[in-house]
Amino acid sequence: MDFITQHPVLVVSLAKIVGLMFVLMTTLAYLSWFERKVIAHIQSRWGPYYVGAHGLLQPLADGVKFLFKEDLTPPGADRFVYILAPMLALTLAMTTLALIPFGPPSVQWLGESTLIVADSSIGLMFVFAITSIGVYGVALAGWSSNSKYPLLGGLRSSAQMISYEVALTLAVVGVVLLSGTLNFNEMIQSQSGYYLHFVPRWNVVPQIVGFLCYFMSAVAETNRAPFDLPEGETELVGGFHTEYSSFKFAMFFMAEYANMITVSCLATILFFGGWLSPFPESWTFMRYLPPVGLLALAVYLAYDTVVLARGIARIQLIVVTAGALVIGLACLHPVVLAIIQGPFWFLLKVGLIMFFYVWTRATLPRLRYDQLMSFGWKFLLPVALANLVITALVKVWPMLVNHG
Amino acid sequence: MTLPFIMFFVCAALAVIGALTLILAREPIHSALALVLVMVSLAVLYLLLGAEFIAAVQIIVYAGAIMVLFVFVIMLLNAGVEERTDYSKLAKFAGLPLGIFLSLALAYWMLESFIGKQIANGLGGTNASVSTRELSAQLFQKYLFPFEATSILILIAILGALVLAKKDE
């Protein structure tokens, strides 16, 4: 106990990192389930169905499958770099999440805010710093495989990521100008308040152009459809990860999902008010949304258990229903209810953006490579730049008028 | 031994190892990666000094932009293993002693300099933590002209590259 009271920062930080890792790993696994289910339903299919109720154990089965597959290294590959590349990709993708605030800094334990691992004064810069080295994972994977298609895929993706990083950063600078800070929590707090007493004063309203530029370049930056040329299977087999098998392939897969999460979190913080509730303080009944939502889910699952499920699936559904019921009831406790508010809204917004991501993938066809490049350099970049200049002018206009 | 102290020596060792690998590696990509390691270790050293902004910019500009282009070009040209010559007898025998002498001389000179003495007396470093706001105020008010001049210099370099790369008509 002495150690904990003497080194609160160390202990709390370690606890936070372990907790975040656990939650993140589970989320990464279940994102693949989410994506497959959503795309399947958009295309009038069922998606994962047989492993567990609603295919809920599919991620587990996939993980086991990846672990037991043969781990191949192509002849002539640069072994060190070949092993380094997936590790680099996954590590960097997960490091960024340490800077994301999942709730207000007022939620504390031992005097340390609990819902953010590293509350840096220039969080945004660090996120960009880490994502900017993320290119190496993909580029090195392509190079070290000693194979044509991965090399082409790696080259394409590094060119694409460098190009779209410019537009991505420029699109965000407008928000930085508006809030006047690089710290995530301060940025979120600067978005509190309401237009007309009920429309939240989020940055997405004045920065709608910036948001659209940000989202489009973010999709390209994470190599997702319709900008997923680095792994365009019709021309490049599997792109940069063609030669990777077993768990190394899974690591690239997880890195891609982790990057999606980061980018969605960033969009939530910068443009959608982060952990702020979209409803005014006076609407106190909205505070009960998380427990009510969970209890509604429990009721639906209970119906599912009784009417539809058979055999083992029924037992699994009983467990999940009980879990939803217990957490939902726990959320009714005033202390838990107060803590759950920030993370609930944050995760809800992130989830909606993730859904949008998947929706885009199911809807839009892939671009051609020259179209992709000219779209980034000749359209997105000028628009983001114009948005930045106009935002700056609006911001300094009062100062200019007062001086003149 | 405090935690920052240990971190300093770990990063310093990583930077030196990276620099040595950069020179000794035969594969261009390995050299480039070693240089990235040097940049990142330097960024952590800046972070230990409390210069967060400089650390982030160091990674974004050097590791994230310049070195990515290096790696990109090496991959694009598919540069082979480096070839070595054995012509210089001077470098073979006098190289290592002279190198050690140079680094010792530099270390002595830094210790004896004004800033070195300040740091040794515990005067420097304590106020190193500067907020981004103060930094940008200095950059855009006091040093505005050098700042803009540097940006034009970089622009000229880009234009020069374009002129050189342009095909003759």
Side-chain angles (χ1 to χ4, degrees):
Chain A
M1 246 359 245
D2 263 7
F3 186 76
I4 294 178
T5 44
Q6 273 166 12
H7 302 276
V9 181
L10 206 63
V11 172
V12 174
S13 298
L14 274 178
K16 282 189 289 195
I17 290 168
V18 171
L20 183 65
M21 279 294 284
F22 180 74
V23 173
L24 186 62
M25 283 306 199
T26 320
T27 317
L28 289 181
Y30 274 92
L31 264 181
S32 70
W33 174 83
F34 175 73
E35 177 162 32
R36 288 168 72 177
K37 269 291 187 198
V38 170
I39 290 186
H41 281 277
I42 287 175
Q43 298 168 341
S44 294
R45 295 184 286 117
W46 282 110
Y49 198 78
Y50 289 103
V51 193
H54 295 282
L56 272 173
L57 293 178
Q58 187 70 44
L60 201 69
D62 284 344
V64 171
K65 185 192 78 176
F66 276 128
L67 270 177
F68 284 98
K69 272 198 166 183
E70 187 184 357
D71 194 0
L72 295 163
T73 309
D78 191 316
R79 275 198 73 87
F80 176 71
V81 181
Y82 185 76
I83 295 169
L84 180 74
M87 282 162 62
L88 212 58
L90 184 59
T91 317
L92 291 173
M94 294 204 300
T95 314
T96 16
L97 280 152
L99 294 147
I100 304 293
F102 292 95
S106 52
V107 179
Q108 288 183 339
W109 181 50
L110 293 176
E112 296 287 320
S113 61
T114 325
L115 294 168
I116 176 169
V117 175
D119 194 0
S120 165
S121 66
I122 52 162
L124 185 64
M125 295 285 289
F126 273 121
V127 169
F128 280 137
I130 298 169
T131 47
S132 74
I133 9 182
V135 191
Y136 286 115
V138 174
L140 292 176
W143 176 80
S144 66
S145 297
N146 189 33
S147 172
K148 283 189 211 77
Y149 295 121
L151 183 68
L152 284 172
L155 279 176
R156 267 191 186 185
S157 82
S158 18
Q160 175 181 334
M161 284 164 102
I162 297 168
S163 310
Y164 277 86
E165 212 173 273
V166 184
L168 184 87
T169 317
L170 276 176
V172 164
V173 179
V175 175
V176 178
L177 278 180
L178 280 186
S179 56
T181 172
L182 291 165
N183 177 285
F184 283 141
N185 274 325
E186 286 172 28
M187 268 179 177
I188 293 169
Q189 263 142 11
S190 77
Q191 296 177 55
S192 57
Y194 297 88
Y195 299 112
L196 307 170
H197 301 291
F198 70 95
V199 183
R201 209 176 264 278
W202 293 342
N203 279 334
V204 69
V205 181
Q207 285 290 313
I208 180 72
V209 179
F211 170 68
L212 291 175
C213 284
Y214 170 84
F215 191 75
M216 284 186 269
S217 29
V219 175
E221 183 74 14
T222 45
N223 292 334
R224 295 275 306 180
F227 303 106
D228 58 345
L229 286 135
E231 39 193 298
E233 52 277 272
T234 42
E235 353 172 353
L236 289 175
V237 190
F240 62 90
H241 58 56
T242 304
E243 300 291 348
Y244 282 90
S245 55
S246 183
F247 211 70
K248 292 203 193 87
F249 173 75
M251 280 165 93
F252 279 118
F253 215 74
M254 283 152 81
E256 185 182 317
Y257 281 128
N259 279 328
M260 271 167 74
I261 296 179
T262 311
V263 161
S264 308
C265 286
L266 217 56
T268 308
I269 294 167
L270 295 169
F271 298 101
F272 292 97
W275 33 258
L276 291 170
S277 162
F279 302 107
E281 197 82 353
S282 50
W283 297 17
T284 31
F285 58 91
M286 286 321 280
R287 285 172 62 80
Y288 290 95
L289 202 62
V292 168
L294 274 168
L295 292 176
L297 181 70
V299 168
Y300 167 73
L301 286 171
Y303 165 78
D304 222 17
T305 316
V306 174
V307 178
L308 298 172
R310 290 281 176 276
I312 303 174
R314 184 174 258 176
I315 301 168
Q316 286 161 0
L317 272 181
I318 289 172
V319 174
V320 180
T321 312
L325 199 66
V326 169
I327 299 173
L329 287 175
C331 285
L332 283 171
H333 191 274
V335 179
V336 184
L337 193 64
I339 292 174
I340 207 80
Q341 290 300 317
F344 172 74
W345 289 116
F346 189 86
L347 294 178
L348 189 69
K349 290 170 190 171
V350 172
L352 283 175
I353 295 174
M354 296 292 289
F355 175 77
F356 201 78
Y357 244 107
V358 177
W359 187 8
T360 326
R361 179 178 162 191
T363 314
L364 294 174
R366 186 177 295 145
L367 265 76
R368 219 170 52 218
Y369 191 66
D370 58 316
Q371 290 172 332
L372 170 97
M373 277 302 172
S374 63
F375 178 70
W377 285 108
K378 294 180 187 163
F379 177 74
L380 269 187
L381 186 63
V383 170
L385 210 56
N387 176 55
L388 171 61
V389 171
I390 290 168
T391 314
L393 277 179
V394 170
K395 178 101 175 170
V396 285
W397 189 249
M399 274 191 258
L400 288 177
V401 170
N402 288 344
H403 276 286
Chain B
M1 288 286 259
T2 53
L3 204 59
F5 206 64
I6 299 168
M7 278 299 284
F8 170 79
F9 278 106
V10 169
C11 289
L14 277 179
V16 172
I17 292 170
L20 284 177
T21 319
L22 162 66
I23 301 168
L24 296 175
R26 293 210 147 189
E27 192 78 56
I29 289 262
H30 290 173
S31 294
L33 281 181
L35 193 52
V36 175
L37 178 66
V38 176
M39 308 284 189
V40 174
S41 328
L42 284 184
V44 180
L45 290 183
Y46 292 146
L47 209 58
L48 284 176
L49 288 171
E52 282 187 314
F53 187 75
I54 307 283
V57 167
Q58 162 93 6
I59 294 183
I60 293 176
V61 173
Y62 288 105
I66 294 180
M67 286 318 294
V68 168
L69 282 182
F70 267 64
V71 171
F72 187 69
V73 169
I74 293 173
M75 277 167 59
L76 199 64
L77 300 180
N78 211 356
V81 174
E82 179 186 323
E83 284 175 22
R84 297 221 163 138
T85 56
D86 210 13
Y87 295 144
S88 172
K89 293 275 186 292
L90 185 68
K92 205 170 181 180
F93 296 108
L96 196 63
L98 279 176
I100 291 172
F101 174 72
L102 181 66
S103 38
L104 283 179
L106 271 177
Y108 175 76
W109 181 67
M110 273 185 232
L111 276 176
E112 285 301 301
S113 69
F114 178 66
I115 297 174
K117 278 186 174 154
Q118 263 194 336
I119 292 171
N121 294 332
L123 291 173
T126 44
N127 291 330
S129 171
V130 180
S131 79
T132 314
R133 202 180 297 274
E134 291 165 44
L135 193 78
S136 47
Q138 289 280 319
L139 212 55
F140 285 105
Q141 284 165 6
K142 199 172 169 191
Y143 299 107
L144 183 63
F145 181 71
F147 182 74
E148 295 293 340
T150 318
S151 68
I152 289 173
L153 203 63
I154 295 170
L155 189 67
I156 291 172
I158 297 172
L159 286 179
L162 274 182
V163 168
L164 287 177
K166 204 180 76 173
K167 286 195 188 92
D168 290 326
E169 274 135 48

